[in-house]
Amino acid sequence: MLSKTPQFDALLDVILEKLVPHMKECRQRDISQYCEGSFAIEADDIDFYKMLRVPPPTLCPTCRHQRRLAFSNYSHIYKRKCDVSGHREMMISAVAPVMPWITYDYDTYYSDVWDPRDYARDALPNDSFFSQFLELEKVVPQPGVRRGADSPNSDYSFYGKHMKDCYYVFGGRRNEDIMYGSSIYDCTHVVDAYYIRHIDVGYEHVGTHQMSKCFHAYFSSNCVECDFVYDCRNCQNCFGCANLRNKNYCWFNEQLSKEEYQKRRKEIDLGSQATKLEYQKKFWNFVRSQPVCATRVLQSVDVTGNDVRSSKNCHHVTQVEDGQNLKYCHFAIAGMVNSYDMGFGGKAENIYDCQNTGTSSMNVRFSFAVKETTESDYLISCSNCTHCFGCIGLKNASYMIFNKQYTEEEYFKKVDEIKSAMLAREEYGEFFPMSFSCYAYNSSLAQFLFPMEKSEVLAQTLYFQDETDVDLSNLQILNPNDLPDAIEDFTEEMCSKAIIGEDSGKPYRITTRELEFYKRYKIALPLDTPLERTKRRFALLNNFRIEKDHCASCGKEIDSAYRSSDGWRPYCESCYQIEIL
Ligand SMILES: [Zn+2]
Ligand SMILES: [Zn+2]
């Protein structure tokens, strides 16, 4: 087939043809404290770069991960002035007030009253692509809230679609009545959760799947009516357990009779703050005393990573389901195929170095928040596009560069010039710089995994949102000590007061709907802000990091999501199978 970008292809072939497996220095090694320094370009990587027609990366996998994560905000909501002309309201926005981008309220952004094509401009191939893109980004409106269709009564929810009655939920599909969570799929009646699928009635869940009426559940699946379970599967009526399979009536891993279990369970009221704290502590001490499976990989072939299910040939990945031929992908569910360096997406093919990209997309590179899109590079917030390059905010478009329409023939000619010049300047092949994110560094996921002080953030010319001090002078304050021990004694009237987080020292409130949930299921109140709770859940995932460690049983070197140096006892898969199960 004749190349439509012959000049670029010839230049790229020169680079790719002489490429052999080697170690490479990361360009950021002296800039970032998290940089790996040097990294390997392996034979299968080279095959992938040839297939996707890209040069090899100049950043190590960790620096690339950090750069993409700076584009995802899964935790922070602000009040920000709406930039629609004539609007004066303060709106709900994931874009922090400090950010310079033109930001529209949800209703206006997803309406036809503005047209991204109005911002069209010429592309100058010999000038820096990124500088030109930044000029475009400064004027095209961004959404304060990203949310798909059909989400009634879910104004405070982001990214997801088909969300009903959801509050402070970041990402997911087909949910109803969820409060404070992220990456939630097909769930109902859940509070405080991350990365859960098919949960009905749950509180404080991380990495769970197919569970019903379970409270305080971590990395477990197919359980019913359990409290405090860690890596348990197919269990019913278990309390304070870890690493169990197909059990009933276990109490801190001890088998009880049904009668004895019911008697003990009845004596415990988790609606009492003191009791909840006591068992929380006991549970985590117990979990820490037990071996853990170093990485959880289920029904998969040829996989290195953690929390992977039904996948094949995936390496250096976390939270992947139905994936095939993936590398350096984090949170890719619903069938991601032949892709590298992708975060928070799904159902897509041939994707390279993208964030929040999926929903039937194919052959997309270096893009953020893109869906139903094919054959495109460097897009932000675009849907249903094909053959677009360097565009923002487009819907149903093709053959566009910097939001300007071209004929098919003109498009390829122009793209060939741009990509060739970019390749010569070593621009082509790089995701957007972190400073192009619409989110402040410290409101993005990058801050959870790769935390930086304000001075460091500013030194890298990134944005930092100072905490907006809540004026407490007019608010009635409840200190943790003022809270009633029993959940029944926390009155609806107390919902109007600010509680001071026990560790964060920051104020938060309990909504009446939340209170109703805690009372119905007899759960004592959370003692810190939703943000603090989110941070703790991410910490339980070792912040997506897989590192080299040693099996606590046989001593062999393993990839582990758990650090021996933090007191965990990670087991390799065979020791876990033999000794634990
Ligand atoms: Zn690096
Ligand atoms: Zn072992």
Side-chain angles (χ1 to χ4, degrees):
M1 204 172 74
L2 216 58
S3 169
K4 290 182 168 176
T5 52
Q7 195 189 342
F8 169 77
D9 283 314
L11 288 169
L12 184 68
D13 281 341
V14 172
I15 296 169
L16 292 178
E17 270 160 23
K18 65 176 184 211
L19 198 59
V20 289
H22 67 291
M23 291 301 287
K24 193 166 174 171
E25 293 280 292
C26 174
R27 209 160 67 174
Q28 298 228 109
R29 73 172 304 151
D30 299 324
I31 303 168
S32 168
Q33 58 184 305
Y34 298 105
C35 180
E36 296 172 40
S38 54
F39 64 104
I41 303 276
E42 294 172 340
D44 57 341
D45 304 339
I46 295 169
D47 291 342
F48 180 83
Y49 303 138
K50 286 180 176 168
M51 178 187 80
L52 264 269
R53 304 295 300 159
V54 290
T58 61
L59 264 54
C60 69
T62 300
C63 288
R64 300 192 316 256
H65 191 196
Q66 178 189 22
R67 184 164 63 177
R68 291 190 306 273
L69 283 176
F71 285 71
S72 289
N73 173 358
Y74 275 71
S75 51
H76 286 71
I77 300 178
Y78 302 95
K79 289 278 183 196
R80 178 192 161 107
K81 207 193 133 295
C82 175
D83 292 320
V84 176
S85 117
H87 284 209
R88 293 184 193 289
E89 85 278 12
M90 295 298 278
M91 62 175 180
I92 303 163
S93 172
V95 181
V98 73
M99 303 309 288
W101 320 117
I102 308 286
T103 308
Y104 279 12
D105 66 80
Y106 176 79
D107 289 334
T108 308
Y109 184 83
Y110 291 101
S111 75
D112 292 332
V113 306
W114 70 282
D115 187 349
R117 289 165 171 84
D118 292 346
Y119 303 91
R121 58 199 52 211
D122 289 323
L124 304 171
N126 295 322
D127 290 3
S128 155
F129 167 80
F130 285 126
S131 313
Q132 294 177 76
F133 189 88
L134 185 59
E135 292 307 308
L136 182 67
E137 206 185 354
K138 281 178 184 165
V139 293
V140 181
Q142 308 260 5
V145 170
R146 292 174 197 276
R147 187 170 58 242
D150 184 26
S151 296
N153 189 31
S154 299
D155 289 355
Y156 284 84
S157 287
F158 294 77
Y159 298 112
K161 74 181 181 192
H162 309 303
M163 315 264 257
K164 187 167 179 253
D165 301 327
C166 290
Y167 185 69
Y168 268 74
V169 175
F170 294 83
R173 298 274 188 281
R174 302 169 298 273
N175 297 310
E176 187 171 341
D177 186 28
I178 313 294
M179 288 175 269
Y180 305 112
S182 37
S183 304
I184 315 275
Y185 290 76
D186 302 287
C187 295
T188 44
H189 316 300
V190 177
V191 177
D192 271 348
Y194 173 68
Y195 186 39
I196 63 171
R197 283 126 327 130
H198 300 283
I199 306 300
D200 181 41
V201 182
Y203 170 71
E204 176 68 3
H205 274 234
V206 179
T208 57
H209 187 243
Q210 300 269 20
M211 313 264 283
S212 174
K213 294 202 189 87
C214 293
F215 304 94
H216 300 93
Y218 307 90
F219 312 112
S220 296
S221 54
N222 303 86
C223 297
V224 181
E225 295 189 39
C226 294
D227 298 271
F228 297 108
V229 282
Y230 197 98
D231 200 347
C232 288
R233 291 179 213 156
N234 202 19
C235 293
Q236 204 163 345
N237 293 298
C238 289
F239 190 104
C241 293
N243 306 314
L244 295 188
R245 304 289 182 268
N246 316 314
K247 295 285 186 192
N248 288 317
Y249 311 116
C250 284
W251 195 270
F252 288 91
N253 283 20
E254 181 198 350
Q255 181 69 60
L256 301 182
S257 68
K258 179 180 176 184
E259 293 68 36
E260 178 62 17
Y261 179 90
Q262 287 176 335
K263 185 171 158 280
R264 283 200 206 175
R265 183 64 194 85
K266 227 172 165 173
E267 284 163 8
I268 293 172
D269 173 17
L270 295 172
S272 148
Q273 193 65 256
T275 308
K276 180 177 149 186
L277 290 174
E278 180 196 335
Y279 279 96
Q280 241 168 18
K281 200 169 160 207
K282 226 176 139 182
F283 170 67
W284 285 112
N285 285 339
F286 179 72
V287 170
R288 287 303 192 115
S289 76
Q290 300 294 306
V292 286
C293 191
T295 56
R296 285 172 296 269
V297 176
L298 303 175
Q299 293 129 23
S300 299
V301 185
D302 193 17
V303 166
T304 54
N306 194 26
D307 293 316
V308 180
R309 185 183 280 269
S310 314
S311 296
K312 208 173 139 184
N313 186 29
C314 296
H315 299 282
H316 304 280
V317 297
T318 54
Q319 296 160 26
V320 167
E321 198 166 319
D322 298 320
Q324 210 173 324
N325 308 332
L326 306 178
K327 205 164 174 181
Y328 310 122
C329 292
H330 302 278
F331 200 86
I333 68 164
M336 193 86 194
V337 178
N338 300 339
S339 298
Y340 267 46
D341 292 277
M342 205 287 311
F344 291 88
K347 208 179 164 198
E349 212 175 320
N350 297 3
I351 306 295
Y352 176 52
D353 214 355
C354 287
Q355 190 73 356
N356 294 90
T357 290
T359 326
S360 312
S361 290
M362 198 171 166
N363 289 326
V364 178
R365 290 157 290 249
F366 321 117
S367 295
F368 162 64
V370 165
K371 57 185 181 178
E372 294 147 358
T373 288
T374 57
E375 314 296 338
S376 295
D377 294 0
Y378 295 107
L379 305 185
I380 287 184
S381 308
C382 290
S383 61
N384 199 20
C385 292
T386 185
H387 296 294
C388 287
F389 193 98
C391 294
I392 306 175
L394 295 181
K395 275 183 290 197
N396 314 325
S398 51
Y399 305 116
M400 298 187 80
I401 305 168
F402 288 147
N403 289 21
K404 183 177 168 176
Q405 186 70 62
Y406 291 83
T407 65
E408 181 180 348
E409 194 185 343
E410 289 167 343
Y411 173 84
F412 284 115
K413 191 165 169 274
K414 193 83 175 176
V415 163
D416 197 13
E417 278 175 57
I418 297 171
K419 282 172 75 170
S420 302
M422 282 178 78
L423 194 61
R425 288 192 300 265
E426 292 195 329
E427 271 187 311
Y428 190 76
E430 299 300 322
F431 186 71
F432 301 113
M434 291 197 283
S435 56
F436 285 30
S437 171
C438 58
Y439 305 119
Y441 186 84
N442 62 323
S443 49
S444 76
L445 277 177
Q447 178 70 3
F448 284 96
L449 274 68
F450 308 103
M452 291 200 280
E453 298 291 334
K454 181 178 179 178
S455 57
E456 298 170 286
V457 171
L458 298 179
Q460 293 196 31
T461 58
L462 303 174
Y463 296 94
F464 188 94
Q465 176 62 51
D466 285 317
E467 289 200 32
T468 41
D469 275 328
V470 182
D471 181 8
L472 295 175
S473 57
N474 294 321
L475 279 176
Q476 275 192 296
I477 303 290
L478 283 172
N479 285 304
N481 295 337
D482 304 333
L483 294 174
D485 180 70
I487 186 66
E488 300 91 76
D489 298 335
F490 193 91
T491 60
E492 211 165 288
E493 182 256 324
M494 289 171 165
C495 289
S496 62
K497 298 180 184 179
I499 306 172
I500 302 300
E502 62 169 358
D503 291 331
S504 69
K506 304 274 163 27
Y508 67 107
R509 275 169 35 180
I510 302 294
T511 69
T512 51
R513 200 147 70 87
E514 198 185 345
L515 181 62
E516 205 179 289
F517 179 92
Y518 298 140
K519 284 191 173 175
R520 177 175 309 155
Y521 299 107
K522 293 197 186 315
I523 300 163
L525 295 180
L527 290 178
D528 221 315
T529 62
L531 179 61
E532 196 59 34
R533 280 138 53 194
T534 303
K535 278 185 195 166
R536 287 176 199 167
R537 286 194 292 276
F538 276 102
L540 289 176
L541 293 155
N542 188 33
N543 289 330
F544 301 80
R545 267 180 238 170
I546 314 286
E547 285 160 55
K548 292 283 176 218
D549 213 309
H550 290 91
C551 171
S553 178
C554 72
K556 89 172 180 196
E557 194 185 64
I558 48 171
D559 288 319
S560 179
Y562 298 87
R563 302 277 70 75
S564 305
S565 53
D566 291 342
W568 288 101
R569 292 168 56 207
Y571 271 36
C572 73
E573 207 189 331
S574 55
C575 290
Y576 188 79
Q577 291 289 344
I578 294 162
E579 293 187 32
I580 310 304
L581 301 182

